[in-house]
Structures are given as structure tokens and as C-alpha cells.
């Protein structure tokens, strides 16, 4: 499972960030779409309408692949990351933006972000690697910092609920069990993208328990639903803090 320590090590030390996040073009390749169109459509469909509402908060900005677009539409943008090196890179890259606010989190806290101050929450390519306890912690924090009526878009792992119930059994079966579990939960024999054991149902349940509404869950978007996050069977959940 991708622990907080694994995330710190992988994105803070191992990963080389050769294109500031744009090196992750595989989702677009998987759905046979040009990366720039896939990314542009994601930004226009899911990011801009929320960011235009006011203050935004991004969990796990990395080197700023989406932060750039949040800053183009929000007067104030909080970025929260476990890696100081990622936050430092964003500080340098967006030095001209006075609206950028930064928090280095130990795992899922957002202490300096005031209650009910955020109009839009965004996180892409981050929750897919977060263990359930960290997801639950962040959803509680999201409910605290989101203003009434605020919205959110979170990309996370979307393994079927029923397949996760078989995980303890398969874990006991060693390597063959691991391969079987990957196939039933992600339809993949190899390369699970380091996805955490989270289902759309569990994510929605935890969000509701935290006091948030789930306004939608999707795996695709675009005029012909041609853009997807299906390579590793991911899901995008849209949230709203009740007014
Ligand atoms: C795969 S990178 C994605 C970066 C960026 N969202 C993108 O799509 O280009 C994952 C990012 O999430 C951050 N991260 C991992 N675990 C985190 C956590 N518990 N809280 C905040 N950020 C975290 C990593 O440090 C890294 O910046």
C-alpha cells in the first residue's frame, strides 16, 4: 500500500519530474487521445468552473501541473503537499503570483487553512496513491475548510468494492494471489500504478460521513466521453459542502 512515507520518498526523491507532471501522459494514451487535448478538456470541464468560484485549494500539487490553471482563475490558491521540495518548486515557478499560499503537511492536516474559507477543492493524481486512513483524514479536513456551497473534484482509486473484500484472502496466497487481486480489482496483470485499496463506494461513504455531498462520480468526460481515467480503473468524485 502507498503509505505517507512511500509518497514522501517517491515524489520527493525518486521521481525526476522531467516535465513538471506532464510526463504522466499515459491516461491520454490509454484512451487514444492527444495528451494536450486530454489535459485541456480536463481543465475546462472539471477545474475552471470550480476555480472561478473564488479561493481554491489543491492537495498534492507536485511541480504545479494543475496549480498553473488554478492560479489563472482563482485570486487565492492554497497548495498542500507532504514534500517540501514540491512546494519549493511551486514557490519558484509561481513567484509572480501573490495569491499562492503554501502548507507543508505531515499527512492530511491543513491546520493553517481557515475554517470555511475555500470555495473549490482540487486534487488530481494524488488520492490514487493515498491509503484509506489518509483519505478519511483529508475528507474531514475538506469539510472543515470548505465554505458552505463550495465544490470539490478529487481523482482517486476506483477499485470495485466487492473486489476489495477479496484482498485479505488473496494477500495470504502470495504472488499468485497478488496477481489475481490485481486482475479482479483493476483488470491488469501487471503495473497497478501503485493504486490504493479504495473504491468509489467507500470514497462516497467517507465523504458523506464527513458531512459532504457527493454530486457525481465519473470515469470519463468530454463531448463524446472520449477522455478517461480508466487505465488503472480510477474515478473522479465531485463534492459539495451543503449550504
Ligand atoms: C503523482 S504526484 C502528482 C502531482 C500533481 N498533482 C500532478 O498531477 O502533476 C503526487 C503528489 O502528491 C503529493 N502527495 C502525496 N501524498 C500526499 C499527502 N498525504 N498529502 C499531500 N500531498 C501528498 C506528492 O508529494 C506529489 O506532489
Amino acid at each position: 500500500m502507498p503509505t505517507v512515507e512511500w509518497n514522501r520518498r517517491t515524489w520527493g526523491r525518486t521521481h525526476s519530474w522531467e516535465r513538471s507532471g506532464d510526463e504522466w501522459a499515459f491516461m491520454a494514451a490509454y484512451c487514444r487521445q492527444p495528451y494536450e487535448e486530454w489535459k485541456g478538456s480536463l481543465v475546462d470541464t472539471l477545474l475552471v468552473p470550480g476555480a472561478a468560484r473564488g479561493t481554491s485549494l489543491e492537495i498534492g500539487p507536485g511541480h504545479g501541473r494543475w496549480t498553473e490553471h488554478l492560479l489563472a482563475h482563482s485570486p487565492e490558491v492554497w497548495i498542500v503537499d507532504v514534500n517540501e521540495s514540491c512546494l519549493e518548486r511551486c514557490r519558484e515557478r509561481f513567484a509572480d503570483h501573490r495569491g499562492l499560499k503554501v502548507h507543508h503537511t505531515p499527512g492530511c492536516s491543513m491546520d493553517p487553512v481557515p475554517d470555511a474559507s475555500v470555495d473549490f477543492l482540487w486534487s488530481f493524481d494524488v488520492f490514487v496513491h493515498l491509503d484509506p486512513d489518509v483519505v478519511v483524514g483529508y475528507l474531514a479536513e475538506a469539510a472543515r475548510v470548505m465554505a458552505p456551497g463550495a465544490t470539490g473534484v478529487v481523482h482517486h482509486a476506483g477499485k470495485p468494492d466487492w473486489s476489495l473484500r477479496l484482498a485479505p484472502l488473496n494477500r495470504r496466497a502470495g504472488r499468485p494471489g497478488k496477481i489475481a487481486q490485481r486482475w479482479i480489482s483493476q483488470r491488469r496483470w501487471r503495473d497497478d500504478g501503485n493504486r490504493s485499496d479504495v473504491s468509489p463506494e467507500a470514497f462516497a461513504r467517507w465523504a458523506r460521513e464527513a458531512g459532504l455531498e457527493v454530486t457525481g462520480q465519473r470515469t470519463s468526460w468530454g463531448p463524446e466521453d472520449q477522455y478517461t481515467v480508466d487505465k488503472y480503473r480510477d474515478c473522479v468524485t465531485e463534492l459539495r459542502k451543503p449550504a
Side-chain angles (χ1 to χ4, degrees):
M1 294 290 282
T3 60
V4 170
E5 190 39 47
W6 178 90
N7 273 289
R8 214 175 271 131
R9 203 176 47 245
T10 302
W11 315 117
R13 274 186 260 150
T14 318
H15 188 68
S16 57
W17 294 100
E18 62 266 21
R19 294 189 61 212
S20 298
D22 285 327
E23 60 272 24
W24 291 302
F26 50 76
M27 291 281 195
Y30 180 79
C31 57
R32 297 193 185 86
Q33 303 299 320
Y35 174 68
E36 289 308 328
E37 286 173 26
W38 177 92
K39 182 182 176 185
S41 177
L42 177 63
V43 167
D44 292 346
T45 310
L46 291 169
L47 183 151
V48 173
R53 298 169 66 92
T55 296
S56 295
L57 182 147
E58 180 179 17
I59 299 171
H63 284 200
R65 173 164 61 142
W66 312 108
T67 320
E68 175 187 5
H69 299 280
L70 292 168
L71 283 165
H73 296 277
S74 288
E76 183 177 69
V77 177
W78 278 97
I79 53 172
V80 175
D81 205 293
V82 284
N83 273 302
E84 182 54 43
S85 58
C86 292
L87 295 170
E88 193 46 40
R89 176 67 194 114
C90 286
R91 277 193 202 94
E92 283 165 19
R93 180 172 171 187
F94 305 117
D96 293 346
H97 291 265
R98 272 179 297 149
L100 186 72
K101 298 197 162 189
V102 172
H103 172 52
H104 183 209
T105 181
C108 59
S109 76
M110 303 201 262
D111 301 338
V113 185
D115 293 0
S117 63
V118 170
D119 302 297
F120 179 58
L121 177 96
W122 168 264
S123 189
F124 198 92
D125 245 340
V126 180
F127 277 67
V128 289
H129 305 302
L130 301 189
D131 279 343
D133 58 329
V134 181
V135 174
V136 169
Y138 264 131
L139 287 168
E141 276 289 79
R144 177 183 72 77
V145 301
M146 285 167 79
T151 60
V153 173
V154 180
H155 165 229
H156 56 88
K159 298 177 181 175
D161 224 19
W162 62 265
S163 74
L164 294 179
R165 285 196 282 277
L166 298 175
L169 194 70
N170 278 325
R171 222 170 276 137
R172 284 202 290 275
R175 191 170 150 72
K178 196 174 169 190
I179 294 169
Q181 183 62 28
R182 199 180 296 140
W183 177 256
I184 61 173
S185 64
Q186 291 177 280
R187 299 183 305 249
R188 300 184 66 78
W189 291 118
R190 60 180 71 179
D191 173 26
D192 65 1
N194 298 300
R195 270 31 187 180
S196 52
D197 279 348
V198 170
S199 67
E201 293 88 346
F203 189 93
R205 188 172 65 250
W206 297 329
R208 290 191 193 103
E209 284 168 4
L212 298 170
E213 289 171 6
V214 174
T215 55
Q217 288 194 304
R218 58 165 98 198
T219 58
S220 60
W221 66 93
E224 291 159 35
D225 257 2
Q226 68 271 51
Y227 304 111
T228 77
V229 285
D230 222 18
K231 180 171 164 74
Y232 295 108
R233 226 176 183 175
D234 298 343
C235 177
V236 175
T237 293
E238 291 163 89
L239 300 167
R240 185 173 173 276
K241 171 94 176 267

